[in-house]
Amino acid sequence: MADLHPLLARAHRYSRKVVDLHPSGCSYDLLVGAWRKQESGALAVELPGRQRPQTKKMDIETGEDQKGQ
């Protein structure tokens, strides 16, 4: 087996987090291209109290993002 490139040999590996992004109580409508609430049929983006998009701070720091190390 050939030796790994020095960058690949020293690269830190992160485990992938399994996150369920499926909104609870919703199903995806392919025709509309959006999540719908199963009970009412309303679009999930129009429901009050829904989870808002998260910021980049929630991303996993990888590669070029680690500038101070």
Side-chain angles (χ1 to χ4, degrees):
M1 182 166 74
D3 291 330
L4 287 176
H5 187 279
L7 292 176
L8 293 176
R10 291 179 178 86
H12 181 75
R13 295 176 189 248
Y14 292 91
S15 59
R16 181 172 287 183
K17 295 179 184 176
V18 179
V19 179
D20 183 18
L21 299 176
H22 179 183
S24 62
C26 295
S27 59
Y28 192 74
D29 187 340
L30 289 173
L31 295 176
V32 177
W35 292 97
R36 287 192 178 271
K37 199 72 172 165
Q38 290 176 344
E39 302 96 38
S40 64
L43 293 178
V45 296
E46 297 172 349
L47 295 175
R50 70 180 171 91
Q51 181 180 359
R52 297 288 188 197
Q54 297 176 338
T55 65
K56 181 154 172 41
K57 290 181 181 180
M58 299 301 290
D59 291 350
I60 298 172
E61 293 290 331
T62 58
E64 295 176 358
D65 292 341
Q66 298 175 344
K67 297 194 173 40
Q69 297 179 354

